[in-house]
Amino acid sequence: MTEKAYDVVQIFGSAVFNEAVMKARLPKAIFKELSRVMSGDAELTLPVAEVVASTMKDWAVEKGATHYTHWFQPMTGITAEKHDSFISPVGDGTVIMEFSGKELIKGEPDASSFPSGGLRATFEARGYTAWDPTSYAFIKDNTLYIPTAFFSYSGEALDKKTPLLRSMDAVSKQAMRILKLFGNTTAKSVVATVGAEQEYFLIDKKNYDKRKDLIFTGRTLFGAAPVKGQELEDHYFGAIKQRVSDYMKDLDKHLWTLGVSSKTKHNEVAPAQHECAPIFESANLAADHNQLTMEMMKKVALEHGMVCLLHEKPFAGVNGSGKHDNWAISTDDGQNLLNPGDSPMENAQFLTFLIAIIKAVDDHADLLRLSVASAGNDHRLGANEAPPAIISVFLGEELTEVINALVAGTNVESKHLQFDIGVSSLPKFPKDTTDRNRTSPFAFTGNKFEFRSVGSSLNISGPNIVLNTIVADALEQFADELEKADDFKAALNSLLVRTIKEHSRIIFNGNGYDEAWVKEATEVRGLPEFKSTVDAMPHFRDEKNVKLFTKHRVFSEVEINSRTEILLDNYCKTINIEALTTAEMANKEILPAVIAYEKDICDTLLAKKSANISYALEESIAKKVSALAENLSVKIGELESVTTKAQGISDVFEASKCYHNEVFATMQSLRAVADELETIVGEKYWPFPTYEELLFNV
Ligand code: ADP
Ligand code: MG
């Protein structure tokens, strides 16, 4: 169906208090001052905030808003909001609509129920929200949403936005030092840019409602493989079904209205799996917009009678969902620092940034790994599908050649351009010819890196905080050395050659799924492999990492400790809910269904027996089903007992190990029995929709 045409240009950002609206509505002087605040050159003062607030309110009220909310990203992983109306009584029984500068700048939600990992003592449960003027306010559901940071009374970050902003500052500061060394006099700051490709599944709401596992955990805890999966590879980029296409159109319209530049949409590898990607923007906006995108995806799906699953592994046996985090850094005047340039000197600068990133990834592969660790993502990373748990860098053949030549000091024939860094002259390489090696967790793709290990449900702030900070650190070390040098070119050449030699072990252009790679990576190259969240997360607190984050003022040690606890606690809670749901479904749904089936088989068997007809078939089915059912019942008992054991462990590090090694493992073995039963028990007995119904019914 072709939808009625609408003016995309008109509608784009129409619910956003963006720069164009500010410029049109704010007094000139105030707009100028606010622009300085947005670019980080000035602090927001109350007089300016008063004018901005009242203008924002007038604009919002015209567009139907009755409430405002400080919108923030607590450690729970979703966004939080508390709505206040604009009404203010004037004393004669009537009200006016009011919004003060103070209310815009700072909010004080009752924050005692948000996880703080022990950061807020109970006597000081207050948390504050502060407007982030670099992210535009917008209107949704008759409410003015004000993007804010969330922090404690003593200033510790309680959210994901605050450290992201700090990390963006860190990388900007260090990148600027490098740019100055290359003679750049025009850039005032460097911005980390991000484009997050979002994968998701769509299933019919009617089927979803019949599955407790989907409702409580977002993934299927049971389900035998369907007769058809993704083996025909007929879904990827396939024609989009009408119902899904209608959904995507509707989603785009909502996102565009909210100023989210949704650009690409297509079917993904697994049946019922799709992807939506925006145009990249600053990491901060990208994170806000990705949160908004996930929210709208779910909301719009419901309007279409479907449910959008953002879990990393909703279905066993077919691909899970990730979120490719495309990352680069560029100057405020628009020069992408990961874009090979047009002159030898620009290319030397490009190589400097590239090699700093390679060093950063090798020095801190542990952090990148743990930044994407979650109970959901454990099903993907290292579990025989998209990116392995081992972090490595893919550069592509040409770029690897350039780097090898640099180390060898060889002069490669140059047709067009040269890399001029002292002794080496290296050729220009075609810009966008990097192989699309889909197995690499961290791939250079022409003018940006693509971090592919991010889980589909994760807030992208985490991985980008790590990326920004580790790159800031490598650049700082480079700048420290180069600023002291008398001969810049010679110093740069020796620095780059030395750095590549030290860190080339992280570069891998081969197949990341290959067993041989795991062996080589861990045994020969000594790269870390953290198979699960429980293995990875405690390393957040390693001395090296505490030093790194405190040095760049991204996290304090207290914040690191609290976050480690929150994230591990979240892991425990997730597995706990899954275990309880598994036991309940097995007990109350699967066993009764199996017994009903058994009974019918046995009834037939008895009838046949008394009629003197052969009942060998019934007997063999009944025996098989009965044995499996008994086994299932034993597993339920085991699961209940290990879950109780895990619940009794108060230390979160120990508890998480028990949840992983015992609870999760028992859940898996219970599931195997139930899934086998599903293949035997008659279809009409099975108590909830099967994979076939879930995956092929939209
Ligand atoms: P694919 O990886 O599917 O081939 P593209 O190369 O078109 O797709 O880009 C994927 C994502 O990378 C998009 O969201 C795009 O906006 C983003 N991207 C492109 N350039 C940059 C950049 N300089 N910084 C961050 N993200 C970028
Ligand atoms: Mg991609």
Side-chain angles (χ1 to χ4, degrees):
M1 265 182 302
T2 308
E3 220 192 288
K4 234 177 51 214
Y6 61 90
D7 189 340
V8 177
V9 174
Q10 199 69 35
I11 219 174
F12 191 90
S14 57
V16 184
F17 192 72
N18 55 27
E19 205 166 318
V21 178
M22 293 180 201
K23 198 167 179 182
R25 296 217 172 207
L26 290 170
K28 248 198 180 111
I30 299 286
F31 174 72
K32 225 173 125 188
E33 190 56 24
L34 188 62
S35 301
R36 280 170 29 88
V37 173
M38 290 191 292
S39 60
D41 294 331
E43 295 259 318
L44 185 66
T45 61
L46 197 55
V48 172
E50 287 297 355
V51 182
V52 176
S54 118
T55 310
M56 215 186 243
K57 183 258 305 170
D58 288 345
W59 169 82
V61 170
E62 274 170 37
K63 295 201 166 275
T66 54
H67 288 68
Y68 71 92
T69 182
H70 278 203
W71 184 64
F72 58 104
Q73 297 167 32
M75 292 301 294
T76 42
I78 44 169
T79 50
E81 50 195 77
K82 177 190 138 212
H83 299 194
D84 279 297
S85 74
F86 290 122
I87 62 163
S88 171
V90 284
D92 60 356
T94 63
V95 295
I96 53 167
M97 300 297 254
E98 238 179 18
F99 186 47
S100 71
K102 247 166 83 185
E103 286 166 320
L104 167 63
I105 294 181
K106 202 167 180 180
E108 199 190 314
D110 176 12
S112 49
S113 299
F114 290 108
S116 77
L119 265 187
R120 269 168 300 129
T122 34
F123 63 86
E124 191 33 279
R126 249 179 302 173
Y128 297 93
T129 50
W131 180 33
D132 164 19
T134 60
S135 183
Y136 301 136
F138 57 92
I139 296 173
K140 191 165 70 71
D141 288 335
N142 303 92
T143 301
L144 173 69
Y145 280 73
I146 302 158
T148 55
F150 180 44
F151 52 91
S152 76
Y153 180 70
S154 41
E156 280 104 2
L158 296 173
D159 68 349
K160 309 198 174 182
K161 182 188 267 285
T162 309
L164 178 63
L165 291 170
R166 292 174 184 161
S167 72
M168 289 173 75
D169 280 350
V171 75
S172 173
K173 186 172 154 197
Q174 302 305 333
M176 282 302 297
R177 290 174 66 194
I178 300 289
L179 285 179
K180 286 216 175 81
L181 287 164
F182 277 95
N184 186 318
T185 53
T186 52
K188 290 212 288 289
S189 63
V190 167
V191 188
T193 53
V194 169
E197 303 164 57
Q198 177 74 49
E199 292 179 338
Y200 61 99
F201 280 85
L202 282 179
I203 61 168
D204 194 291
K205 172 91 164 46
K206 288 194 283 298
N207 286 332
Y208 171 91
D209 286 337
K210 292 181 196 142
R211 295 210 45 147
K212 283 188 185 156
D213 48 3
L214 287 175
I215 294 172
F216 294 132
T217 73
R219 75 176 178 102
T220 53
L221 299 169
F222 298 100
V227 290
K228 177 181 190 289
Q230 62 190 42
E231 64 276 25
L232 291 178
E233 295 175 350
D234 52 356
H235 195 252
Y236 189 58
F237 281 21
I240 301 171
K241 283 186 194 157
Q242 194 57 51
R243 191 172 177 196
V244 174
S245 169
D246 289 345
Y247 164 81
M248 288 173 165
K249 277 190 237 172
D250 214 9
L251 177 65
D252 273 343
K253 195 170 174 183
H254 277 90
L255 292 175
W256 291 338
T257 306
L258 289 164
V260 179
S261 55
S262 170
K263 171 88 173 161
T264 314
K265 52 190 183 183
H266 60 81
N267 284 349
E268 261 298 331
V269 174
Q273 193 185 29
H274 314 279
E275 183 183 292
C276 150
I279 297 171
F280 71 95
E281 55 195 336
S282 96
N284 180 34
L285 290 180
D288 283 359
H289 282 161
N290 183 248
Q291 290 297 115
L292 207 49
T293 300
M294 291 193 285
E295 196 185 313
M296 296 314 291
M297 281 177 150
K298 289 187 168 175
K299 198 174 141 170
V300 175
L302 288 177
E303 288 167 8
H304 288 252
M306 298 187 284
V307 174
C308 170
L309 301 176
L310 291 171
H311 193 282
E312 283 76 10
K313 194 74 178 177
F315 306 99
V318 296
N319 268 21
S321 298
K323 184 141 56 188
H324 291 175
D325 189 81
N326 294 271
W327 179 94
I329 39 179
S330 66
T331 60
D332 60 334
D333 49 7
Q335 183 197 359
N336 181 354
L337 301 175
L338 298 189
N339 212 354
D342 294 326
S343 71
M345 207 53 188
E346 274 174 19
N347 282 334
Q349 180 186 300
F350 160 72
L351 273 186
T352 307
F353 283 106
L354 183 83
I355 291 166
I357 294 168
I358 291 168
K359 169 181 163 58
V361 175
D362 189 32
D363 282 340
H364 302 291
D366 55 341
L367 282 175
L368 282 171
R369 171 64 185 89
L370 72 88
S371 77
V372 295
S374 72
N377 216 13
D378 276 1
H379 295 278
R380 299 172 65 233
L381 303 180
N384 281 329
E385 85 164 73
I390 302 166
I391 303 284
S392 62
V393 176
F394 170 85
L395 286 184
E397 258 171 51
E398 269 139 333
L399 199 46
T400 305
E401 247 172 59
V402 169
I403 287 206
N404 289 342
L406 176 67
V407 173
T410 46
N411 248 354
V412 185
E413 274 299 305
S414 161
K415 284 206 187 77
H416 306 103
L417 292 167
Q418 294 192 320
F419 287 97
D420 175 7
I421 38 171
V423 295
S424 313
S425 289
L426 301 167
K428 181 195 179 187
F429 53 91
K431 274 180 199 171
D432 206 4
T433 60
T434 46
D435 306 325
R436 290 302 169 99
N437 178 333
R438 292 285 163 191
T439 69
S440 174
F442 198 79
F444 186 71
T445 48
N447 59 1
K448 62 188 184 324
F449 275 98
E450 188 167 335
F451 186 23
R452 304 209 181 102
S453 312
V454 185
S456 50
S457 73
L458 290 184
N459 184 316
I460 57 169
S461 300
N464 287 303
I465 290 167
V466 167
L467 263 171
N468 294 339
T469 310
I470 65 178
V471 172
D473 195 63
L475 293 174
E476 180 182 50
Q477 291 178 44
F478 278 18
D480 284 349
E481 184 168 330
L482 295 173
E483 280 168 0
K484 285 193 215 108
D486 296 326
D487 180 346
F488 175 65
K489 278 189 185 178
L492 181 66
N493 189 70
S494 90
L495 170 69
L496 296 187
V497 169
R498 193 181 75 230
T499 308
I500 292 175
K501 280 184 183 158
E502 279 169 9
H503 296 286
S504 63
R505 65 169 189 165
I506 197 80
I507 300 169
F508 177 62
N509 294 330
N511 178 6
Y513 298 166
D514 201 338
E515 265 306 307
W517 164 238
V518 177
K519 226 171 131 68
E520 182 189 326
T522 53
E523 290 170 21
V524 182
R525 302 197 187 197
L527 298 175
E529 182 188 24
F530 300 113
K531 287 211 166 95
S532 73
T533 301
V534 176
D535 294 334
M537 204 56 81
H539 292 282
F540 198 2
R541 310 186 309 165
D542 287 355
E543 197 185 331
K544 154 185 101 71
N545 296 332
V546 173
K547 256 194 193 148
L548 170 84
F549 284 120
T550 51
K551 184 163 100 184
H552 294 282
R553 299 177 184 279
V554 173
F555 289 124
S556 68
E557 187 164 1
V558 182
E559 286 170 344
I560 290 174
N561 289 333
S562 80
R563 262 155 221 260
T564 312
E565 275 191 31
I566 291 171
L567 293 164
L568 278 175
D569 184 52
N570 183 273
Y571 175 87
C572 294
K573 285 176 176 155
T574 303
I575 303 292
N576 191 58
I577 294 169
E578 290 187 352
L580 297 180
T581 310
T582 299
E584 181 163 316
M585 287 173 79
N587 246 331
K588 295 197 180 155
E589 298 187 58
I590 300 175
L591 270 184
V594 172
I595 290 167
Y597 180 62
E598 259 184 305
K599 181 178 176 297
D600 284 358
I601 298 271
C602 290
D603 285 352
T604 313
L605 184 151
L606 288 176
K608 278 184 158 181
K609 195 173 180 181
S610 60
N612 248 335
I613 303 171
S614 160
Y615 52 84
L617 174 66
E618 286 73 15
E619 191 175 14
S620 105
I621 296 177
K623 274 188 175 158
K624 202 166 168 189
V625 172
S626 171
L628 283 168
E630 271 167 36
N631 193 1
L632 184 66
S633 165
V634 171
K635 298 271 182 204
I636 296 171
E638 274 173 34
L639 181 60
E640 283 167 346
S641 104
V642 284
T643 307
T644 308
K645 177 179 162 194
Q647 287 167 346
I649 304 172
S650 56
D651 178 80
V652 74
F653 294 89
E654 290 309 313
S656 65
K657 281 185 210 155
C658 184
Y659 273 110
H660 178 263
N661 300 339
E662 300 185 47
V663 180
F664 181 72
T666 312
M667 264 166 57
Q668 296 289 86
S669 69
L670 185 156
R671 175 189 179 143
V673 180
D675 288 358
E676 195 179 343
L677 275 165
E678 189 193 318
T679 63
I680 303 169
V681 171
E683 207 166 88
K684 69 170 194 187
Y685 294 84
W686 204 248
F688 38 73
T690 62
Y691 270 26
E692 274 157 27
E693 292 165 274
L694 290 169
L695 287 168
F696 296 96
N697 238 345
V698 156

PDB file of all heavy atoms in Angstrom, residues 113 153 175 234 238 242 250 288 295 325 338 502 529 589 605 609 623 662 669 693:
ATOM      1  N   SER A 113      15.018   4.787  44.496  1.00  0.00           N
ATOM      2  CA  SER A 113      14.827   3.424  43.997  1.00  0.00           C
ATOM      3  C   SER A 113      15.677   3.093  42.781  1.00  0.00           C
ATOM      4  O   SER A 113      15.584   1.999  42.243  1.00  0.00           O
ATOM      5  CB  SER A 113      13.365   3.190  43.660  1.00  0.00           C
ATOM      6  OG  SER A 113      12.601   3.356  44.823  1.00  0.00           O
ATOM      7  N   TYR A 153      23.984  13.692  45.228  1.00  0.00           N
ATOM      8  CA  TYR A 153      24.218  14.906  46.016  1.00  0.00           C
ATOM      9  C   TYR A 153      25.688  15.298  46.009  1.00  0.00           C
ATOM     10  O   TYR A 153      26.040  16.463  45.912  1.00  0.00           O
ATOM     11  CB  TYR A 153      23.744  14.650  47.446  1.00  0.00           C
ATOM     12  CG  TYR A 153      23.919  15.808  48.374  1.00  0.00           C
ATOM     13  CD1 TYR A 153      23.129  16.952  48.228  1.00  0.00           C
ATOM     14  CD2 TYR A 153      24.849  15.759  49.400  1.00  0.00           C
ATOM     15  CE1 TYR A 153      23.276  18.021  49.085  1.00  0.00           C
ATOM     16  CE2 TYR A 153      25.005  16.828  50.259  1.00  0.00           C
ATOM     17  CZ  TYR A 153      24.222  17.966  50.102  1.00  0.00           C
ATOM     18  OH  TYR A 153      24.376  19.011  50.951  1.00  0.00           O
ATOM     19  N   ALA A 175      42.837  14.750  21.317  1.00  0.00           N
ATOM     20  CA  ALA A 175      42.904  14.804  19.849  1.00  0.00           C
ATOM     21  C   ALA A 175      43.318  16.198  19.394  1.00  0.00           C
ATOM     22  O   ALA A 175      44.066  16.355  18.421  1.00  0.00           O
ATOM     23  CB  ALA A 175      41.558  14.418  19.243  1.00  0.00           C
ATOM     24  N   ASP A 234      17.255 -16.626   2.835  1.00  0.00           N
ATOM     25  CA  ASP A 234      16.296 -15.948   1.972  1.00  0.00           C
ATOM     26  C   ASP A 234      15.653 -14.734   2.632  1.00  0.00           C
ATOM     27  O   ASP A 234      14.814 -14.073   2.071  1.00  0.00           O
ATOM     28  CB  ASP A 234      15.193 -16.936   1.543  1.00  0.00           C
ATOM     29  CG  ASP A 234      14.580 -17.646   2.738  1.00  0.00           C
ATOM     30  OD1 ASP A 234      15.064 -17.427   3.867  1.00  0.00           O
ATOM     31  OD2 ASP A 234      13.632 -18.421   2.534  1.00  0.00           O
ATOM     32  N   GLY A 238      15.766  -9.411   1.935  1.00  0.00           N
ATOM     33  CA  GLY A 238      14.647  -9.880   1.119  1.00  0.00           C
ATOM     34  C   GLY A 238      13.552  -8.830   1.046  1.00  0.00           C
ATOM     35  O   GLY A 238      13.586  -7.821   1.755  1.00  0.00           O
ATOM     36  N   GLN A 242       4.350  -6.813   3.745  1.00  0.00           N
ATOM     37  CA  GLN A 242       3.520  -5.618   3.843  1.00  0.00           C
ATOM     38  C   GLN A 242       3.347  -5.130   5.279  1.00  0.00           C
ATOM     39  O   GLN A 242       3.480  -3.949   5.582  1.00  0.00           O
ATOM     40  CB  GLN A 242       2.146  -5.880   3.217  1.00  0.00           C
ATOM     41  CG  GLN A 242       1.348  -4.615   2.981  1.00  0.00           C
ATOM     42  CD  GLN A 242       2.108  -3.628   2.090  1.00  0.00           C
ATOM     43  OE1 GLN A 242       2.581  -3.982   1.015  1.00  0.00           O
ATOM     44  NE2 GLN A 242       2.271  -2.396   2.575  1.00  0.00           N
ATOM     45  N   ASP A 250       5.695   3.690   9.450  1.00  0.00           N
ATOM     46  CA  ASP A 250       5.144   4.388  10.594  1.00  0.00           C
ATOM     47  C   ASP A 250       6.257   4.780  11.567  1.00  0.00           C
ATOM     48  O   ASP A 250       6.282   5.888  12.108  1.00  0.00           O
ATOM     49  CB  ASP A 250       4.148   3.436  11.292  1.00  0.00           C
ATOM     50  CG  ASP A 250       2.991   4.184  11.878  1.00  0.00           C
ATOM     51  OD1 ASP A 250       2.875   5.390  11.601  1.00  0.00           O
ATOM     52  OD2 ASP A 250       2.206   3.557  12.615  1.00  0.00           O
ATOM     53  N   ASP A 288      21.251   9.301  22.929  1.00  0.00           N
ATOM     54  CA  ASP A 288      19.879   9.720  23.244  1.00  0.00           C
ATOM     55  C   ASP A 288      18.909   9.202  22.178  1.00  0.00           C
ATOM     56  O   ASP A 288      17.845   8.680  22.479  1.00  0.00           O
ATOM     57  CB  ASP A 288      19.784  11.249  23.302  1.00  0.00           C
ATOM     58  CG  ASP A 288      20.357  11.804  24.598  1.00  0.00           C
ATOM     59  OD1 ASP A 288      20.804  11.003  25.442  1.00  0.00           O
ATOM     60  OD2 ASP A 288      20.359  13.048  24.771  1.00  0.00           O
ATOM     61  N   GLU A 295      12.643   2.832  22.101  1.00  0.00           N
ATOM     62  CA  GLU A 295      11.339   3.053  22.717  1.00  0.00           C
ATOM     63  C   GLU A 295      10.236   3.124  21.649  1.00  0.00           C
ATOM     64  O   GLU A 295       9.179   2.494  21.784  1.00  0.00           O
ATOM     65  CB  GLU A 295      11.421   4.374  23.491  1.00  0.00           C
ATOM     66  CG  GLU A 295      10.313   4.585  24.482  1.00  0.00           C
ATOM     67  CD  GLU A 295      10.419   5.970  25.112  1.00  0.00           C
ATOM     68  OE1 GLU A 295      11.534   6.357  25.529  1.00  0.00           O
ATOM     69  OE2 GLU A 295       9.382   6.647  25.177  1.00  0.00           O
ATOM     70  N   ASP A 325      28.091  -0.387  16.333  1.00  0.00           N
ATOM     71  CA  ASP A 325      28.384   0.960  16.797  1.00  0.00           C
ATOM     72  C   ASP A 325      29.465   1.542  15.895  1.00  0.00           C
ATOM     73  O   ASP A 325      30.648   1.260  16.052  1.00  0.00           O
ATOM     74  CB  ASP A 325      28.857   0.876  18.256  1.00  0.00           C
ATOM     75  CG  ASP A 325      28.994   2.229  18.920  1.00  0.00           C
ATOM     76  OD1 ASP A 325      27.974   2.770  19.351  1.00  0.00           O
ATOM     77  OD2 ASP A 325      30.135   2.741  19.017  1.00  0.00           O
ATOM     78  N   LEU A 338      39.354  10.096  10.710  1.00  0.00           N
ATOM     79  CA  LEU A 338      39.609   8.726  10.252  1.00  0.00           C
ATOM     80  C   LEU A 338      39.423   8.603   8.744  1.00  0.00           C
ATOM     81  O   LEU A 338      39.315   7.507   8.203  1.00  0.00           O
ATOM     82  CB  LEU A 338      38.693   7.746  10.988  1.00  0.00           C
ATOM     83  CG  LEU A 338      38.898   7.693  12.500  1.00  0.00           C
ATOM     84  CD1 LEU A 338      38.111   6.552  13.109  1.00  0.00           C
ATOM     85  CD2 LEU A 338      40.375   7.534  12.838  1.00  0.00           C
ATOM     86  N   GLU A 502      54.586  -2.938  18.614  1.00  0.00           N
ATOM     87  CA  GLU A 502      54.116  -3.365  19.934  1.00  0.00           C
ATOM     88  C   GLU A 502      52.694  -3.915  19.915  1.00  0.00           C
ATOM     89  O   GLU A 502      52.322  -4.707  20.771  1.00  0.00           O
ATOM     90  CB  GLU A 502      54.174  -2.182  20.918  1.00  0.00           C
ATOM     91  CG  GLU A 502      55.556  -1.942  21.473  1.00  0.00           C
ATOM     92  CD  GLU A 502      55.654  -0.612  22.232  1.00  0.00           C
ATOM     93  OE1 GLU A 502      54.612   0.036  22.479  1.00  0.00           O
ATOM     94  OE2 GLU A 502      56.781  -0.234  22.550  1.00  0.00           O
ATOM     95  N   GLU A 529      40.475 -13.498  26.483  1.00  0.00           N
ATOM     96  CA  GLU A 529      39.169 -14.014  26.067  1.00  0.00           C
ATOM     97  C   GLU A 529      38.283 -14.143  27.296  1.00  0.00           C
ATOM     98  O   GLU A 529      38.527 -14.973  28.166  1.00  0.00           O
ATOM     99  CB  GLU A 529      39.307 -15.393  25.397  1.00  0.00           C
ATOM    100  CG  GLU A 529      37.950 -15.909  24.912  1.00  0.00           C
ATOM    101  CD  GLU A 529      37.970 -17.348  24.411  1.00  0.00           C
ATOM    102  OE1 GLU A 529      38.854 -18.118  24.816  1.00  0.00           O
ATOM    103  OE2 GLU A 529      37.068 -17.679  23.619  1.00  0.00           O
ATOM    104  N   GLU A 589       3.107 -25.549  32.797  1.00  0.00           N
ATOM    105  CA  GLU A 589       2.621 -25.605  31.424  1.00  0.00           C
ATOM    106  C   GLU A 589       3.101 -26.857  30.688  1.00  0.00           C
ATOM    107  O   GLU A 589       2.299 -27.581  30.116  1.00  0.00           O
ATOM    108  CB  GLU A 589       3.050 -24.350  30.661  1.00  0.00           C
ATOM    109  CG  GLU A 589       2.467 -23.067  31.264  1.00  0.00           C
ATOM    110  CD  GLU A 589       2.758 -21.847  30.421  1.00  0.00           C
ATOM    111  OE1 GLU A 589       2.365 -21.827  29.240  1.00  0.00           O
ATOM    112  OE2 GLU A 589       3.398 -20.908  30.929  1.00  0.00           O
ATOM    113  N   LEU A 605      -3.678 -47.023  24.184  1.00  0.00           N
ATOM    114  CA  LEU A 605      -2.953 -48.274  24.402  1.00  0.00           C
ATOM    115  C   LEU A 605      -3.861 -49.310  25.089  1.00  0.00           C
ATOM    116  O   LEU A 605      -3.976 -50.451  24.641  1.00  0.00           O
ATOM    117  CB  LEU A 605      -1.708 -47.988  25.248  1.00  0.00           C
ATOM    118  CG  LEU A 605      -0.731 -49.128  25.539  1.00  0.00           C
ATOM    119  CD1 LEU A 605       0.678 -48.574  25.709  1.00  0.00           C
ATOM    120  CD2 LEU A 605      -1.098 -49.946  26.763  1.00  0.00           C
ATOM    121  N   LYS A 609      -5.266 -52.755  23.707  1.00  0.00           N
ATOM    122  CA  LYS A 609      -4.903 -53.976  24.415  1.00  0.00           C
ATOM    123  C   LYS A 609      -6.152 -54.834  24.653  1.00  0.00           C
ATOM    124  O   LYS A 609      -6.151 -56.044  24.378  1.00  0.00           O
ATOM    125  CB  LYS A 609      -4.252 -53.605  25.750  1.00  0.00           C
ATOM    126  CG  LYS A 609      -3.522 -54.748  26.418  1.00  0.00           C
ATOM    127  CD  LYS A 609      -2.768 -54.246  27.651  1.00  0.00           C
ATOM    128  CE  LYS A 609      -2.036 -55.386  28.323  1.00  0.00           C
ATOM    129  NZ  LYS A 609      -1.336 -54.905  29.523  1.00  0.00           N
ATOM    130  N   LYS A 623       6.556 -44.752  26.674  1.00  0.00           N
ATOM    131  CA  LYS A 623       7.778 -44.983  27.456  1.00  0.00           C
ATOM    132  C   LYS A 623       8.755 -43.822  27.288  1.00  0.00           C
ATOM    133  O   LYS A 623       9.347 -43.331  28.248  1.00  0.00           O
ATOM    134  CB  LYS A 623       8.445 -46.285  27.003  1.00  0.00           C
ATOM    135  CG  LYS A 623       7.872 -47.503  27.715  1.00  0.00           C
ATOM    136  CD  LYS A 623       8.700 -48.728  27.369  1.00  0.00           C
ATOM    137  CE  LYS A 623       8.214 -49.928  28.177  1.00  0.00           C
ATOM    138  NZ  LYS A 623       8.589 -51.199  27.535  1.00  0.00           N
ATOM    139  N   GLU A 662      25.998 -22.467  37.673  1.00  0.00           N
ATOM    140  CA  GLU A 662      25.040 -23.475  38.117  1.00  0.00           C
ATOM    141  C   GLU A 662      23.617 -23.205  37.626  1.00  0.00           C
ATOM    142  O   GLU A 662      22.995 -24.061  37.012  1.00  0.00           O
ATOM    143  CB  GLU A 662      25.084 -23.583  39.647  1.00  0.00           C
ATOM    144  CG  GLU A 662      26.488 -23.986  40.112  1.00  0.00           C
ATOM    145  CD  GLU A 662      26.567 -24.215  41.606  1.00  0.00           C
ATOM    146  OE1 GLU A 662      25.706 -24.907  42.161  1.00  0.00           O
ATOM    147  OE2 GLU A 662      27.515 -23.677  42.222  1.00  0.00           O
ATOM    148  N   SER A 669      20.227 -27.246  30.539  1.00  0.00           N
ATOM    149  CA  SER A 669      20.034 -28.696  30.412  1.00  0.00           C
ATOM    150  C   SER A 669      18.559 -29.052  30.602  1.00  0.00           C
ATOM    151  O   SER A 669      18.064 -29.992  29.991  1.00  0.00           O
ATOM    152  CB  SER A 669      20.953 -29.468  31.367  1.00  0.00           C
ATOM    153  OG  SER A 669      20.568 -29.276  32.694  1.00  0.00           O
ATOM    154  N   GLU A 693       5.542 -20.943  14.713  1.00  0.00           N
ATOM    155  CA  GLU A 693       4.480 -19.937  14.796  1.00  0.00           C
ATOM    156  C   GLU A 693       5.045 -18.547  15.096  1.00  0.00           C
ATOM    157  O   GLU A 693       4.574 -17.544  14.571  1.00  0.00           O
ATOM    158  CB  GLU A 693       3.469 -20.329  15.873  1.00  0.00           C
ATOM    159  CG  GLU A 693       2.662 -21.568  15.499  1.00  0.00           C
ATOM    160  CD  GLU A 693       1.941 -22.154  16.700  1.00  0.00           C
ATOM    161  OE1 GLU A 693       2.557 -22.957  17.416  1.00  0.00           O
ATOM    162  OE2 GLU A 693       0.783 -21.780  16.915  1.00  0.00           O
TER     163      GLU A 693
END
